Amino acid sequence: MDAPLRFGPFELDIANVRLVRDGQPVSLPPKAFALLACLAARPGQLVSKDELLDAVWGRRFVSEGVIKTVVSELRAALDDDPRQPRWIETVARRGYRFVGGAAAGVAQAPTGAPAGLIGREAELSALHSAWKAAQTGQRRFMLVAGEPGVGKSALLAAFVAGIEQGRVVSGQCVEAYGSDEPYLPVLEALGQMCAAEPDLVPTLRRFAPTWLVQLPWHLTEADRATLQREVTGATQDRMLREAGALLDHLGQDQPLLLVLEDLHWADPATVRLLDVLARRRAPARLMIVCSFRPADVAIADHPFGDLRRELRLHRLVDEVVLEGLDPPRLAALLDQRFGPPALPPTFVQALHQHTEGLPLFVLGVLDELVADSALVPREEGGWRLAGDPTAPLPVPASLAGVIEKQFMRLPPEVRALLETAALAAPEFQHLQLAEAMGLPADTVRERLEGLLRRQIWLRAAGAKELPDGRWALGCTFEHALIRHTLARRVGPSLRVERHRRLADALEAAWGARVGEIATELAMHAEQGHEPLRAARYCALAARNALQRRAAREALAMARRGLDLIEPLDAAARREAELPLLALRLTATMLTEGLSSPAARPLVAQALALVQDLPVTPDTAALWHVALLVHVTGRLPGTGDLAQRFFERAQAGGDAQCRAAAHNMVGANRLHEGHLTDSIAQFEASLALAEGSPPPAAPILLRDPRIEALSYLCLTETVAGRFARARERSAALDAFIAAGTDLISEGLGRWFQVYAHVYRRDAAALKPVSEHIVALLEARGASPALQPHRMALGWARAQLGEAAEGAALAADALARYRAQGSRQGLVGLCAMVGEALRLAGDREAALACVRDGEAAAAELGDAYARSTLMRLAADLALDADPDDDHAEAVLQEAAALASRQAAVLIEAGVWVRLAPLMAGRGRREAARESVTRLMARAEPADDAPVLRDLRAWLAGA
């Protein structure tokens, strides 16, 4: 066996994978140890960066920047100053040189598992077997389960260290405040990958632009702006599809391993992403490994628990469960840490009973024993117990007690530093702590590096470049329990002061990019007793969540912000309250329904606030979302509110705000039966929207351009302006193809479909409806789903599937009304009633007529009432072909449609009325009326309803 290499106080034993300083073991990450061994094997010689990549990483995905990070970790452990190196010297732009002296016969870098991994051979083998399968295109999803301190991270580190070829990226979930940051661990992994391989940024641009836009620091300012415009309105489902496509593509040139740790803290959006990835069945050289704590998942009723059960049921995941070390493996761990001769079996048994073999607890106990001189080195090597091996262990019963006792042995200035760090985020930087404590940055860095060398309290998170251009040493606590224990020690007044100063430091460093850390800043502001500041960051965090299509997370954060400012007086909270209310209402509408019972009380609150305020971006957003609830639910006072918003928007709103106001007035005028007026409003909206930048879609819910085009597809079709309607429909198709939000897409497709209903073109309608229904059902988008289901049911009934179509349409109508929606209810009742009539269910069809008439009377809706009157006449004539009243109803319906300039609706009435009049001896009068009607419609259109009238005229 090769002799150990000694340099200064250190002894490097490569054969036994051990580094010792003054007889004390020094823990090193596997790659840091391998790099040190590689350098030490060639003392005094330059080792190039390429040689290090080959020897330590086997030419995996890493870049030279990763070498720099590992060298920094190694220097921290060796207490080596890069400016005056004693052990490792940098050769600029070329590589590194070991200058600490060397003995002959130094072994090569180790290739086995790192030190510290004891008793996990079977688990490590299972992971490597899965990786071997993934390399051949058999995608694999693995879970590593275990409680805190059981060694999940160590197992994953050993697994990754043993991978010879492939691309490895990792991310970590963190215990979040308030609402989780959507996709945080995945974004961390992608950011890590882009930093290591800048050449992959174009790949993200191609396959996953909605993910790349969340990593703006990898783009130029111009590229950021362009990409943001391109992905505006993208849905969460698009992000999920892009993630799957990206990961599959990345595995084509080399296998991809994605490691996500601590899923018990995962945000719901990440859980949903994992669900989607786990169910992809196409071959891919991809392996996903996730670690989690089963108890934490169960106690918190975390959504990952449901996903885990579902995936296990369908055998879509394999699980490795880690337990505490049994006595033989614990003895092996002690032998590795303290060397032969072995410690007494009675001590091993007592230690196992006291710790249940939990590695983190075991190491904490051993460190305390060493510090108390209960475990001392032998002169001849190894360690021994100084006393009776059967004596009770002088260790606290809880790990928190161990932490407290170890903590109190530290110098006061180090304790103060750790306590402040415990108040920061799970990952923190030395510059942030220095500014919060009013200490020199170098002093804080040196103290943190000293703690890193001990490998008890902290672990290195690498060098971090802050947005202000400075570089900082990043750290995390070795265990969350340490952070929580130390945070509780900070007194109330000092806690407030430190949180405020931590927030100040973050704001100064992040500048205009503070929105990217809004959740962290909201936490500091709340703990610093600054509710208005916290509320502003809650709003930013909620907006971020909406932009990532995570409406539930946005709702939670908006509610949190409102709760914080609720005790303040109205004047003090007004500025912060308005955007939070808009965000809460937007998120509620997306999660519960556009006019759901949950949304309506929020509308009243919003309108009470904005009634007397000028139109600003914040008040305009509140007006808009509140009116969407009103229009969708046809609530009392909708018309007056729409007009009031319109007047204020014209007086003081920007172009997008004025465009949205035109749409609101146009929608209300349409429901009132003023078709020509509504068209004018939508045209004015389109002119404004097309001449200004796109809106902040997550707040406005609908893009005013798409909303105007959607309504014009329908209204211009009904008015007989068929060429213009086709132009609108083509423009709408282009917007949807380019990517837009789900609400806008559902709205646009609905009005295209509804135009087919008035054209009486069931054959054209059916495939469109089938596609959009399948899409919306897959996304769980019930607010936009039910009208499409009604239209599909109507089309099926028209095409011969009467019973099935009628059942579908009736069910959709009931669901639509149950969610609080009443927009277009008169026309929907007519459409569903017609399907029921074709199915022979006369009573149900009559009930639809009654419901439609009641809605028309209550809501003041005149649009589409002619279609309801035609249905009533059809049902009457079915019972009595000589019913004179039925003809009078049809005459009234035709006259109403004519006054509204609703050419297609009037045509639908005359299809029934003209033959009826002809059969009763008034053929010429019917012919004249139909001829006048056809003159108002563009002659080139082939709508079935118009073809039927032309055929009647030809035969008349």
Side-chain angles (χ1 to χ4, degrees):
M1 181 178 295
D2 295 310
L5 165 68
R6 293 180 176 85
F7 56 101
F10 296 99
E11 181 178 287
L12 177 64
D13 186 349
I14 295 177
N16 293 302
V17 196
R18 179 181 299 174
L19 178 67
V20 176
R21 177 175 183 166
D22 294 328
Q24 297 286 336
V26 177
S27 295
L28 280 179
K31 294 304 180 189
F33 189 95
L35 190 144
L36 175 60
C38 183
L39 292 173
R42 296 164 58 181
Q45 299 179 28
L46 168 67
V47 182
S48 71
K49 294 178 181 179
D50 284 342
E51 289 176 301
L52 289 173
L53 285 172
D54 286 333
V56 180
W57 283 274
R59 276 292 173 186
R60 287 193 296 128
F61 78 101
V62 297
S63 69
E64 293 179 359
V66 176
I67 301 177
K68 183 178 180 180
T69 299
V70 174
V71 169
S72 296
E73 294 177 351
L74 188 54
R75 281 174 168 155
L78 299 176
D79 197 18
D80 197 20
D81 187 342
R83 293 166 295 189
Q84 295 180 330
R86 290 184 294 166
W87 317 122
I88 299 175
E89 178 182 79
T90 300
V91 181
R93 294 185 295 277
R94 297 185 62 191
Y96 299 89
R97 179 184 293 113
F98 184 70
V99 294
V106 177
Q108 295 182 347
T111 58
L117 190 70
I118 296 294
R120 304 301 190 199
E121 295 81 8
E123 293 85 352
L124 193 59
S125 175
L127 291 174
H128 280 295
S129 295
W131 177 243
K132 184 177 181 180
Q135 290 178 295
T136 66
Q138 304 175 56
R139 62 172 73 232
R140 286 291 184 267
F141 190 4
M142 299 286 292
L143 298 178
V144 177
E147 297 311 325
V150 77
K152 301 184 293 297
S153 296
L155 175 66
L156 291 176
F159 169 53
V160 170
I163 291 178
E164 297 296 333
Q165 183 179 7
R167 176 181 283 119
V168 182
V169 292
S170 63
Q172 185 164 12
C173 306
V174 297
E175 188 175 17
Y177 152 82
S179 176
D180 304 312
E181 291 279 6
Y183 305 116
L184 178 63
V186 183
L187 290 170
E188 178 188 353
L190 293 179
Q192 171 196 114
M193 184 181 68
C194 290
E197 294 185 88
D199 290 345
L200 286 179
V201 172
T203 301
L204 262 72
R205 182 70 173 80
R206 175 187 173 192
F207 287 92
T210 60
W211 291 86
L212 182 58
V213 79
Q214 309 296 332
L215 305 169
W217 46 90
H218 294 295
L219 298 166
T220 66
E221 185 172 349
D223 288 340
R224 285 199 298 268
T226 300
L227 186 58
Q228 184 64 58
R229 286 194 298 270
E230 290 178 8
V231 303
T232 295
T235 64
Q236 184 183 36
D237 296 89
R238 174 178 169 182
M239 292 188 71
L240 299 177
R241 291 193 301 272
E242 287 183 1
L246 173 67
L247 296 181
D248 288 0
H249 176 78
L250 290 174
Q252 290 180 6
D253 61 331
Q254 55 181 316
L256 174 63
L257 173 64
L258 173 61
V259 180
L260 300 179
E261 295 194 60
D262 296 334
L263 277 191
H264 49 276
W265 288 326
D267 57 276
T270 297
V271 174
R272 186 180 178 197
L273 173 62
L274 290 173
D275 188 8
V276 171
L277 295 177
R279 296 177 192 276
R280 291 174 70 90
R281 305 316 303 156
R285 297 204 296 170
L286 169 66
M287 179 173 171
I288 301 173
V289 184
C290 304
S291 67
F292 72 100
R293 302 176 190 169
D296 284 22
V297 169
I299 292 171
D301 196 22
H302 194 280
F304 175 69
D306 292 334
L307 175 60
R308 177 193 177 200
R309 286 188 289 272
E310 181 74 13
L311 296 182
R312 292 174 71 184
L313 176 65
H314 295 287
R315 298 184 179 181
L316 296 176
V317 68
D318 292 316
E319 189 165 298
V320 171
V321 180
L322 297 184
E323 304 288 353
L325 300 176
D326 59 19
R329 290 184 173 88
L330 178 57
L333 174 63
L334 296 177
D335 285 347
Q336 183 194 68
R337 179 86 184 261
F338 295 99
L343 294 168
T346 51
F347 170 75
V348 175
Q349 187 63 37
L351 182 61
H352 184 269
Q353 291 177 351
H354 211 52
T355 63
E356 298 184 343
L358 193 68
L360 182 67
F361 199 176
V362 168
L363 295 175
V365 169
L366 293 174
D367 286 337
E368 183 164 348
L369 289 173
V370 171
D372 287 341
S373 298
L375 193 59
V376 297
R378 298 173 182 267
E379 292 183 3
E380 64 274 20
W383 293 72
R384 65 178 179 83
L385 286 170
D388 184 359
T390 63
L393 293 172
V395 178
S398 69
L399 186 54
V402 175
I403 293 171
E404 289 274 1
K405 192 168 183 179
Q406 291 176 334
F407 179 75
M408 293 308 297
R409 292 196 177 98
L410 297 172
E413 65 276 10
V414 175
R415 295 203 303 266
L417 178 62
L418 283 174
E419 287 175 342
T420 302
L423 298 178
E427 182 176 315
F428 53 89
Q429 292 82 41
H430 85 279
L431 292 175
Q432 175 191 6
L433 298 185
E435 292 172 22
M437 300 180 70
L439 295 174
D442 286 346
T443 298
V444 172
R445 179 180 52 78
E446 290 169 2
R447 290 174 184 172
L448 290 176
E449 289 172 345
L451 289 165
L452 288 170
R453 285 193 294 272
R454 297 193 63 180
Q455 295 289 317
I456 296 174
W457 302 100
L458 302 175
R459 60 172 173 261
K464 307 292 181 180
E465 184 178 13
L466 302 179
D468 62 5
R470 295 179 298 167
W471 283 83
L473 171 65
C475 301
T476 62
F477 281 94
E478 282 285 354
H479 197 281
L481 183 58
I482 298 175
R483 180 166 60 89
H484 294 316
T485 301
L486 301 188
R488 286 197 298 267
R489 293 180 48 82
V490 183
S493 61
L494 181 59
R495 177 185 297 270
V496 168
E497 184 265 335
R498 287 290 160 83
H499 275 295
R500 291 184 178 185
R501 298 193 64 172
L502 285 167
D504 292 341
L506 288 171
E507 286 178 339
W510 285 78
R513 289 171 53 186
V514 290
E516 298 171 24
I517 55 167
T519 300
E520 182 179 349
L521 282 164
M523 179 272 292
H524 286 307
E526 181 183 2
Q527 295 298 317
H529 294 186
E530 296 179 292
L532 288 174
R533 188 184 194 184
R536 287 194 295 273
Y537 284 117
C538 284
L540 278 174
R543 184 184 291 269
N544 291 343
L546 282 178
Q547 288 172 340
R548 295 177 184 173
R549 318 304 174 246
R552 295 194 183 278
E553 290 90 331
L555 180 59
M557 188 56 78
R559 285 173 172 167
R560 184 62 186 155
L562 289 168
D563 287 344
L564 288 172
I565 60 176
E566 196 277 332
L568 306 179
D569 63 72
R573 68 174 183 256
R574 178 62 50 82
E575 182 180 352
E577 185 175 30
L578 292 173
L580 285 167
L581 287 172
L583 288 158
R584 181 181 66 174
L585 183 50
T586 300
T588 299
M589 294 166 71
L590 290 172
T591 55
E592 303 294 337
L594 296 183
S595 190
S596 63
R600 294 186 184 188
L602 303 182
V603 169
Q605 181 184 1
L607 291 174
L609 278 173
V610 299
Q611 289 285 358
D612 301 319
L613 296 177
V615 173
T616 65
D618 287 336
T619 60
L622 265 181
W623 272 107
H624 194 249
V625 292
L627 278 168
L628 281 178
V629 176
H630 262 267
V631 170
T632 305
R634 301 302 294 152
L635 303 182
T638 297
D640 291 341
L641 284 170
Q643 188 61 35
R644 195 177 311 160
F645 176 46
F646 177 82
E647 292 170 356
R648 297 194 178 187
Q650 303 312 305
D654 61 18
Q656 291 293 338
C657 176
R658 297 198 303 276
H662 276 292
N663 286 337
M664 289 298 175
V665 173
N668 193 64
R669 296 295 283 167
L670 177 62
H671 284 290
E672 293 173 345
H674 303 289
L675 182 64
T676 303
D677 287 353
S678 72
I679 290 174
Q681 293 289 339
F682 298 132
E683 287 177 331
S685 170
L686 195 59
L688 282 167
E690 288 181 337
S692 60
I699 302 303
L700 288 178
L701 267 184
R702 300 176 181 175
D703 185 329
R705 298 167 301 174
I706 295 178
E707 188 171 23
L709 285 170
S710 301
Y711 274 105
L712 286 169
C713 284
L714 172 65
T715 53
E716 292 189 319
T717 296
V718 171
R721 306 176 187 179
F722 303 120
R724 294 291 299 277
R726 283 192 290 272
E727 292 175 5
R728 311 296 194 192
S729 187
L732 180 61
D733 287 340
F735 272 116
I736 292 175
T740 185
D741 61 278
L742 185 57
I743 299 297
S744 294
E745 182 175 356
L747 172 79
R749 294 303 189 203
W750 164 240
F751 283 122
Q752 287 178 325
V753 163
Y754 211 5
H756 285 308
V757 173
Y758 287 120
R759 291 167 56 87
R760 313 293 296 175
D761 197 347
L765 183 156
K766 185 170 180 282
V768 177
S769 284
E770 287 177 335
H771 169 74
I772 197 67
V773 165
L775 176 65
L776 295 176
E777 285 182 335
R779 297 179 180 181
S782 59
L785 171 62
Q786 303 312 326
H788 287 282
R789 294 180 70 233
M790 286 181 246
L792 180 58
W794 176 86
R796 287 180 176 175
Q798 295 287 332
L799 296 173
E801 302 175 61
E804 297 86 349
L808 175 61
D811 176 74
L813 178 60
R815 292 174 183 268
Y816 184 72
R817 299 179 71 173
Q819 69 189 25
S821 299
R822 300 196 293 179
Q823 185 177 15
L825 190 57
V826 175
L828 295 174
C829 283
M831 183 170 61
V832 175
E834 187 177 346
L836 290 165
R837 172 176 173 260
L838 291 173
D841 194 341
R842 173 181 171 80
E843 290 304 317
L846 285 170
C848 280
V849 172
R850 291 191 295 271
D851 290 346
E853 290 289 358
E858 178 188 355
L859 306 176
D861 284 3
Y863 173 71
R865 188 162 179 266
S866 294
T867 61
L868 192 69
M869 296 168 70
R870 172 189 159 155
L871 174 62
D874 283 341
L875 291 167
L877 291 169
D878 288 343
D880 181 5
D882 297 325
D883 190 327
D884 291 334
H885 179 67
E887 181 182 344
V889 171
L890 289 170
Q891 292 281 4
E892 183 183 353
L896 175 61
S898 180
R899 291 194 299 273
Q900 295 174 346
V903 171
L904 276 194
I905 293 179
E906 186 180 355
V909 176
W910 278 106
V911 165
R912 180 64 157 158
L913 179 57
L916 181 65
M917 290 176 62
R920 294 181 177 183
R922 298 195 303 283
R923 181 181 299 273
E924 191 58 34
R927 184 183 182 85
E928 291 176 1
S929 295
V930 173
T931 300
R932 287 194 300 271
L933 169 65
M934 297 299 288
R936 304 205 313 269
E938 293 177 3
D941 194 74
D942 62 347
V945 66
L946 296 181
R947 287 203 305 267
D948 290 345
L949 282 179
R950 292 190 190 105
W952 182 83
L953 283 173

